[in-house]
Amino acid sequence: MRETTTEQRSLVSAVATRLGSTMDADEAVARLARLLVPAVADWCLVTLVEDDESRAPRRRLRDVGWWHADPERRDLVAAYARARIGALVPGSMLMRAIDSGDVVHVHDAAVEALDRVLAPGPARDLVERLAPTSLTVAPLKSRGRTLGAVTLFNGPHRAPLEPGEVAAVVEVAATAALALDNARLYRRQRDVAATFQRSLLTAPVEPDHMQVVVRYQPAAEAARVGGDWYDAFMQHDGGTMLVIGDVVGHDVEAAALMSQLRSMLRAIAVVTRNSPADVLTLLDAAVRTLRIPALATLVVARVEQTPAERAAGRTRLRWSSAGHPPPVVVDADGTVRALDEDRPDLLLGLDPDRPRVDHETVLDHGATVLLYTDGLVERRDRPLRAGMADLRAALGRHHAHDLDTLCDTLLAELPGGPGEDDVALVAVRLHPQDEPRPPEAGPVVVPPDVPDVPGAPG
């Protein structure tokens, strides 16, 4: 890098390109170490501040990247990286650079300088074996914060960095810091969004005769949330409500609208104890009255049972759809049937005055009901009709699996993969009511104020 500033500019460009192409902070650090060695140093360490505290005594540091030009000495550098932070004493070159935000340069006698800031032990012994003669610590600063530092080491066969080279390292560090900060912000956004998702998509109820399994697979890796949702909860008479929905749109905005619809639907269904069609009608009216700018497809279903049906080992499924892909039933013998309606009702948010209709079917013990969003069956290279055929075929092949395995298998085989569309599933399997609950169904989970058997039809 001594010949011309062209090489310096090339290094800065390479750092911006290689680090900017990943949103994984650890991968970015690994790339940075390999770009700096041997371009400007014989070996290096990259340190990150593990928290956002601005006061130095509360900072936690971690060496997360390292490299050596000599393959035979890389294990020594890795060992030094594991030992260094714990052996540092106050006033070390690393902490001075991070605290001040300025470059710290040791022109010669680097081993002696490091011995003064390392406690006796493995770290100091490793420095003796690595034998650097000079070192430079450049802080990684971005958006007014110091994210960490890069420490460059040169041995006796390489001269210390000259002022022009130090200036180039500062530019490289600034470019790298911006990329690392972007990766850190991305991770924070992803974690916040994942927490938001978990707070919305809660665990379902598990009445005694039913096993309920839910899944959510987001399309947007960055946001980890979208407008798809599932729900399974009980009404006061013991009826179990199943919901699958898809708000038009993606990411956090769609998730926020979804959360409003989900909460209102839950409240309407529990307070009124109405049928699925009535619940959808009231929800549509509420959306208009509250002026919520939401357009959504959804299915609301209710699992219920008369005393005669219970004696006969049968259960009734009543459902209403707002323009959503039809539920699918797999009978115990593997027969697959889609619960298609002659004329699907309108999407939620279009015309609250349009009447909605309930549909019914009777299920025997051993039947499985699957509600899903269109990301499971529709993608750019597969129309909905072909996707429905693929779904029926997959259910026919795998219907004998336990319910968790069945859902995981469908998600592995059918969707277009991350980036295509969100996918939400709610699957219900009816177990015999006159036999013990099977172990794979897990424990019964029902509210304390409702029975754990299906409610009679309203």
Side-chain angles (χ1 to χ4, degrees):
M1 214 176 104
R2 294 178 181 278
E3 288 80 3
T4 66
T5 58
T6 301
E7 294 183 8
Q8 298 174 8
R9 289 194 295 268
S10 296
L11 179 59
V12 173
S13 176
V15 168
T17 301
R18 294 291 305 280
L19 271 63
S21 64
T22 179
M23 287 290 101
D24 186 303
D26 289 344
E27 175 63 24
V29 166
R31 293 181 184 183
L32 175 61
R34 286 161 176 77
L35 287 168
L36 294 174
V37 174
V40 293
D42 290 336
W43 55 287
C44 77
L45 295 173
V46 183
T47 308
L48 292 183
V49 178
E50 287 289 273
D51 52 63
D52 292 328
E53 296 289 351
S54 60
R55 289 172 286 181
R58 301 179 66 179
R59 283 180 171 149
R60 297 188 299 273
L61 305 180
R62 183 167 65 103
D63 284 329
V64 294
W66 53 85
W67 200 243
H68 199 295
D70 182 355
E72 295 184 357
R73 302 179 73 80
R74 287 172 190 163
D75 288 344
L76 290 177
V77 176
Y80 181 52
R82 290 191 293 269
R84 179 174 75 149
I85 298 300
L88 289 175
V89 301
S92 67
M93 287 78 76
L94 177 63
M95 285 307 307
R96 281 160 50 199
I98 291 176
D99 291 344
S100 67
D102 298 325
V103 174
V104 175
H105 183 59
V106 177
H107 191 269
D108 54 21
V111 171
E112 291 80 354
L114 289 168
D115 283 348
R116 290 193 292 270
V117 297
L118 291 169
R124 187 183 287 185
D125 296 339
L126 288 163
V127 165
E128 299 285 347
R129 296 176 64 185
L130 288 164
T133 55
S134 65
L135 67 88
T136 303
V137 187
L140 297 168
K141 298 185 293 185
S142 176
R143 299 183 176 100
R145 296 186 301 120
T146 300
L147 307 179
V150 56
T151 308
L152 305 170
F153 301 87
N154 282 324
H157 303 295
R158 188 166 189 162
L161 295 183
E162 297 175 351
E165 293 175 311
V166 172
V169 168
V170 171
E171 186 177 359
V172 167
T175 302
L178 181 60
L180 291 171
D181 201 23
N182 288 339
R184 180 173 291 191
L185 292 173
Y186 164 85
R187 182 179 62 188
R188 184 176 302 163
Q189 178 190 19
R190 181 190 62 193
D191 292 346
V192 169
T195 301
F196 181 45
Q197 173 207 336
R198 286 193 298 269
S199 71
L200 294 176
L201 303 178
T202 53
V205 294
E206 294 278 3
D208 181 50
H209 76 299
M210 289 193 299
Q211 179 185 3
V212 184
V213 171
V214 292
R215 293 290 187 271
Y216 176 75
Q217 178 175 287
E221 180 64 24
R224 301 291 296 173
V225 291
D228 292 25
W229 88 95
Y230 60 75
D231 209 352
F233 57 91
M234 298 186 75
Q235 294 176 297
H236 287 295
D237 60 358
T240 299
M241 298 294 282
L242 309 173
V243 182
I244 198 77
D246 185 358
V247 175
V248 175
H250 293 285
D251 302 330
V252 176
E253 182 178 358
L257 292 172
M258 173 267 283
S259 70
Q260 296 182 68
L261 297 182
R262 175 182 179 273
S263 298
M264 290 193 299
L265 190 153
R266 278 184 148 216
I268 291 169
V270 170
V271 171
T272 66
R273 311 182 195 183
N274 283 2
S275 74
D278 291 339
V279 168
L280 276 176
T281 298
L282 291 171
L283 178 62
D284 218 352
V287 166
R288 176 173 59 184
T289 300
L290 297 174
R291 305 179 69 179
I292 298 173
L295 191 66
T297 69
L298 65 156
V299 169
V300 178
R302 175 181 154 95
V303 182
E304 56 192 28
Q305 195 176 59
T306 64
E309 287 169 339
R310 181 179 176 86
R314 293 184 173 182
T315 303
R316 184 174 301 274
L317 180 74
R318 188 156 36 146
W319 81 95
S320 184
S321 174
H324 199 83
V328 177
V329 172
V330 186
D331 293 321
D333 62 1
T335 302
V336 181
R337 51 193 172 102
L339 302 181
D340 294 298
E341 306 129 15
D342 295 333
R343 186 178 179 183
D345 289 343
L346 288 178
L347 275 67
L348 188 81
L350 285 179
D351 184 2
D353 297 323
R354 180 75 66 90
R356 297 191 178 274
V357 180
D358 281 316
H359 307 270
E360 292 186 2
T361 189
V362 175
L363 308 172
D364 292 327
H365 289 162
T368 299
V369 180
L370 179 71
L371 281 65
Y372 53 93
T373 55
D374 60 1
L376 184 69
V377 293
E378 188 175 27
R379 60 184 190 231
R380 286 189 293 269
D381 62 347
R382 182 180 64 189
L384 180 60
R385 180 173 297 180
M388 288 296 302
D390 291 343
L391 173 60
R392 287 193 291 268
L395 287 170
R397 290 193 304 272
H398 305 300
H399 74 277
H401 289 324
D402 65 80
L403 200 55
D404 279 293
T405 301
L406 176 63
C407 289
D408 291 338
T409 301
L410 294 177
L411 286 174
E413 288 189 5
L414 295 178
E420 282 279 344
D421 197 3
D422 306 324
V423 181
L425 302 178
V426 55
V428 173
R429 181 162 291 172
L430 303 179
H431 295 293
Q433 293 167 275
D434 57 351
E435 298 179 8
R437 185 176 174 90
E440 67 269 17
V444 173
V445 180
V446 297
D449 58 341
V450 299
D452 61 354
V453 295

